[in-house]
Amino acid sequence: MYCTQKITEDITYIGGSDRRLALFENMYPIPNGISYNAYFINDEKTAVVDTVDKSVSALFFENLAHMLGGRHLDYVIVNHMEPDHAATLEELVLRYPQVKIVCSAKAIAMMKQFFTFDADAYTLPVKEGDTLTLGAHTLSFYMAPMVHWPEVTVTYDQTEKILFSADAFGTFGALNGHIFADELPFGAAELQEARRYYTNIVGKYGAQTLALLKKAAALDIQMLCPLHGPVWRKDIAAFVEKYQAWGAYAPEENGVLIVYGSIYGGTQNAAEILAAKLAEKGVPTNLYDASVTHASYLVSEAFRYSHLVFAAATYNNDIFTPVESLLTDLKAHALKNRTVGLIQNGSWAPQSGKKMQEILESMQNMTVLPETVTVRSTVKEDSFAQIDALCGALVASL
Ligand code: FEO
């Protein structure tokens, strides 16, 4: 049975949430599920803004039929062709063959790759700044390439001053009743999921995100309707400010994130001693085991902190795999502008420090402190001087 939620008098939420999927994009854990948002605009002409993932397609079509109440569907606006939003497009065309698909030219090319229907017969391509009038509502379209795919557009409802922002301003987590962010306990945990969503999904494309924010700054936005997570009608400026930081790879926290990869505990011990010393000095510090915590959380935390410490055992004459994988991931997400300390461990030939430094030096504006700590199997009395030196260098550079 349908389950719709009113956003404004004319705009209704017709998406759905999946709480059974373990890994979003078959990669990112989503312990609290995820929502696939779609919106219905009720006007002289009817329109849907984006469709949904296959997992919630039955609900979406019930919602849409309910909202139409026997009317024709005139338009579907496809801001993003990724299947978590566009998987149901072909079925929509089959059910509503008179519909026009409004999208960028690049989206049409992708449509032909994903589907077999005659995309040219259904599509109405739009360019930057084009408008579409539904009656009382006039929509304008803006290109948002690489936020998060090249074909992406965002749609601005000039009448209600609502930005349908595609993946931008999305959050991991199902919608559990309340549709508006201001009705939720949107605290640190929820912000972490917004950050984890942005940094992992869009994080590589900071420059393109900043370009979108620049365009958005010229619009009077009273509401943000993203494709995942709650709708924002309050505190929009604060959320945009977070996006400015994330897009610019600017840290939010002047503090130290320590991530270790330890086989028998020696490297972990060194990392914990460093964390305790930093905390004693009043430095905001956080510590994770790369073998335990999924990399998506660590990528998100690395975007948050100004200073990073990687502690890794030597493994196969290289970096212990979980830390190596994390560094590769951070590089792939284009993280930059951080100060980094290193702890290496090796029972016969410590190599992980050198190898970690090589990866970091291939990234942009990563300052590696020279005070690398070398542990031989386990921390000994003489290791304290090295850990103190790294701690001092980190504190001095904060
Ligand atoms: Fe939520 Fe890029 O898809």
Side-chain angles (χ1 to χ4, degrees):
M1 181 54 76
Y2 64 85
C3 177
T4 61
Q5 284 183 279
K6 196 171 254 218
I7 295 201
T8 69
E9 196 52 38
D10 295 337
I11 298 177
T12 302
Y13 180 87
I14 58 168
S17 287
D18 185 350
R19 297 176 190 80
R20 298 176 74 171
L21 183 69
L23 297 174
F24 180 68
E25 291 188 359
N26 216 8
M27 182 156 18
Y28 304 108
I30 42 169
N32 300 314
I34 190 152
S35 75
Y36 303 107
N37 301 348
Y39 304 92
F40 179 79
I41 305 177
N42 187 26
D43 206 327
E44 287 167 32
K45 300 281 188 186
T46 56
V48 166
V49 184
D50 288 294
T51 67
V52 294
D53 186 77
K54 270 207 162 63
S55 62
V56 295
S57 67
L59 176 63
F60 167 76
F61 283 114
E62 286 197 59
N63 286 346
L64 178 54
H66 170 67
M67 292 312 299
L68 285 168
R71 294 172 70 193
H72 288 303
L73 176 62
D74 295 299
Y75 298 107
V76 56
I77 290 135
V78 175
N79 283 318
H80 189 10
M81 268 304 296
E82 193 166 7
D84 57 330
H85 309 294
T88 44
L89 193 56
E90 185 154 42
E91 190 178 341
L92 184 115
V93 167
L94 289 170
R95 287 178 182 235
Y96 301 98
Q98 74 282 27
V99 73
K100 278 287 175 201
I101 304 170
V102 182
C103 62
S104 68
K106 283 187 175 154
I108 298 173
M110 283 188 181
M111 226 168 273
K112 293 174 183 172
Q113 294 171 189
F114 279 108
F115 302 115
T116 53
F117 70 87
D118 183 1
D120 290 323
Y122 285 95
T123 45
L124 186 63
V126 287
K127 300 185 299 300
E128 180 80 11
D130 281 357
T131 59
L132 175 71
T133 299
L134 303 176
H137 293 78
T138 298
L139 307 178
S140 46
F141 305 95
Y142 299 93
M143 303 298 123
M146 302 319 296
V147 188
H148 133 238
W149 277 14
E151 86 298 355
V152 169
T153 54
V154 296
T155 300
Y156 179 64
D157 180 344
Q158 297 178 14
T159 315
E160 302 219 51
K161 303 189 190 315
I162 294 174
L163 184 69
F164 296 95
S165 58
D167 273 344
F169 304 106
T171 306
F172 284 137
L175 290 171
N176 301 325
H178 295 288
I179 186 86
F180 296 107
D182 57 273
E183 293 176 338
L184 295 162
F186 204 92
E190 289 74 20
L191 178 62
Q192 176 185 297
E193 285 299 78
R195 184 188 297 105
R196 190 166 70 93
Y197 176 81
Y198 170 82
T199 55
N200 285 278
I201 307 298
V202 190
K204 181 180 174 66
Y205 305 109
Q208 292 86 342
T209 300
L210 294 183
L212 173 59
L213 294 181
K214 201 170 169 187
K215 286 183 191 180
L219 304 170
D220 177 8
I221 298 170
Q222 298 299 318
M223 199 180 285
L224 285 172
C225 289
L227 287 176
H228 301 285
V231 168
W232 292 74
R233 60 183 176 183
K234 291 183 183 167
D235 305 320
I236 290 174
F239 201 17
V240 168
E241 207 172 288
K242 287 291 178 192
Y243 259 70
Q244 288 283 1
W246 299 339
Y249 305 93
E252 298 161 76
E253 183 84 63
N254 205 25
V256 182
L257 168 72
I258 305 171
V259 182
Y260 67 85
S262 186
I263 306 164
Y264 293 108
T267 309
Q268 174 184 349
N269 188 210
E272 286 180 338
I273 293 167
L274 176 65
K277 286 178 181 291
L278 286 165
E280 270 173 18
K281 292 184 185 303
V283 176
T285 302
N286 213 342
L287 181 71
Y288 290 92
D289 183 338
S291 301
V292 172
T293 303
H294 189 273
S296 63
Y297 293 89
L298 303 177
V299 167
S300 179
E301 287 288 80
F303 269 69
R304 187 157 80 89
Y305 279 93
S306 60
H307 289 59
L308 313 174
V309 172
F310 298 102
T314 300
Y315 198 70
N316 290 328
N317 205 32
D318 214 315
I319 308 161
F320 185 50
T321 314
V323 176
E324 182 184 35
S325 169
L326 173 64
L327 285 167
T328 307
D329 212 357
L330 292 173
K331 182 178 172 178
H333 285 85
L335 184 69
K336 59 189 84 165
N337 310 333
R338 297 297 187 273
T339 300
V340 184
L342 298 174
I343 298 173
Q344 65 172 346
N345 194 350
S347 291
W348 61 94
Q351 275 291 308
S352 51
K354 177 169 160 269
K355 297 286 187 177
M356 288 191 285
Q357 183 149 359
E358 283 171 9
I359 296 175
L360 290 159
E361 283 174 354
S362 70
M363 297 163 71
Q364 278 185 45
N365 197 25
M366 301 296 263
T367 305
V368 181
L369 297 168
E371 291 84 357
T372 295
V373 174
T374 299
V375 176
R376 293 276 185 170
S377 306
T378 61
V379 175
K380 293 287 189 295
E381 272 303 323
D382 61 2
S383 308
F384 280 99
Q386 289 186 55
I387 296 171
D388 280 335
L390 177 57
C391 180
L394 287 163
V395 171
S397 66
L398 278 162

